[in-house]
Amino acid sequence: MNSSRNKTFCRTVRGAATAAALASLAVGTTASGAWAASADDAVQYVALGDSMASGPLIPGITGPLACGRSTHNYAHELAASIGASLRDVTCSGAQSKHMTEKQSLSLLDVPMGSAAPQFDALRADTDLVTLTIGGNDAGLVGIAQDCMQLDPTAIPCKDKLTEGGVDQVAQRIDAFAPRLGAVLDGIHQRSPHARVLVTGYGLYIKPGGCWPLQPVLPVDADFLQGSVNRMNAVIAEQSAAHGAEYIDVATPSKGHDACQAPSDKWVEGYVPTASAAPLHPNARGEAAYARIIGAHLQGS
């Protein structure tokens, strides 16, 4: 990232938090080299993104109901750990276009007004921005829902999605790349001194899946996670090209996918076993993502 931007942010976050205070934080940061702000010099933090970041159905609710924004999403957990002043505008269903356009909201097909363009939260004095976006641009959750299969002898949904040798999902993901680049450029234009961290998406299902625990055929499980991995590669590439930092949450998620025991998984499957939306992170996952992001900040 831009060195002057990094220096500005590092000066902003130097603070007076003690080891005891840090030890009590949910995201588990350590006192040595910890990122924290004094009361009169709080980090100005803006969280942008979709439902992976908003934390739908995780108690408690904040902001527009249809945005599914939780007080225990990764932004809130991270803000608590570094003493930041948070403006969280993450919203379920958000696409890259909703950074600069209003997002129409609905709940159970009932119109619920609209959310302002997420970029409205950015300021010239913003110090830190996190972003999670792209899944809805490519329609990944909808594709995963369509691939649910209770019949082990059925034709894999991968066959239809790659008919004629053309991977339709890969095409959607690749088409998202320049849109993400434009989003990142827009963040830098509005908040030129901000440090910008862009997360990928997690590990949703282990290699080969776990049918019938998660009702998706083995070949489709690999295809779906492979599509997520492709999205992550695009996000990493665009982040590097546009002055942002990529945060890998998939690699640390090994052993925490939807096939695991309820006490171990960070994401829910087709039928949640915790208070979270299907095919989305649960509270444990959001807290884990906050720790991962916090560790990145600590180490830089």
Side-chain angles (χ1 to χ4, degrees), residues 108-155:
L108 300 176
D109 295 325
V110 177
M112 301 285 286
S114 64
Q118 293 193 22
F119 275 3
D120 286 4
L122 297 172
R123 303 286 187 273
D125 66 349
T126 298
D127 300 305
L128 174 66
V129 176
T130 58
L131 171 69
T132 304
I133 204 72
N136 293 317
D137 288 71
L140 293 181
V141 170
I143 292 167
Q145 290 172 335
D146 290 342
C147 283
M148 184 173 68
Q149 184 55 256
L150 298 175
D151 180 1
T153 67
I155 297 173

Side-chain angles (χ1 to χ4, degrees), residues 130-191:
T130 58
L131 171 69
T132 304
I133 204 72
N136 293 317
D137 288 71
L140 293 181
V141 170
I143 292 167
Q145 290 172 335
D146 290 342
C147 283
M148 184 173 68
Q149 184 55 256
L150 298 175
D151 180 1
T153 67
I155 297 173
C157 70
K158 177 185 176 182
D159 289 7
K160 180 179 179 180
L161 293 169
T162 59
E163 191 173 4
V166 177
D167 187 332
Q168 301 167 37
V169 184
Q171 287 184 328
R172 296 183 197 178
I173 292 170
D174 293 347
F176 164 69
R179 297 200 290 270
L180 177 57
V183 166
L184 295 174
D185 290 345
I187 293 171
H188 291 316
Q189 290 166 7
R190 291 164 176 79
S191 302

Side-chain angles (χ1 to χ4, degrees), residues 44-55:
Q44 299 300 306
Y45 169 25
V46 174
L48 309 172
D50 58 23
S51 55
M52 187 274 211
S54 68

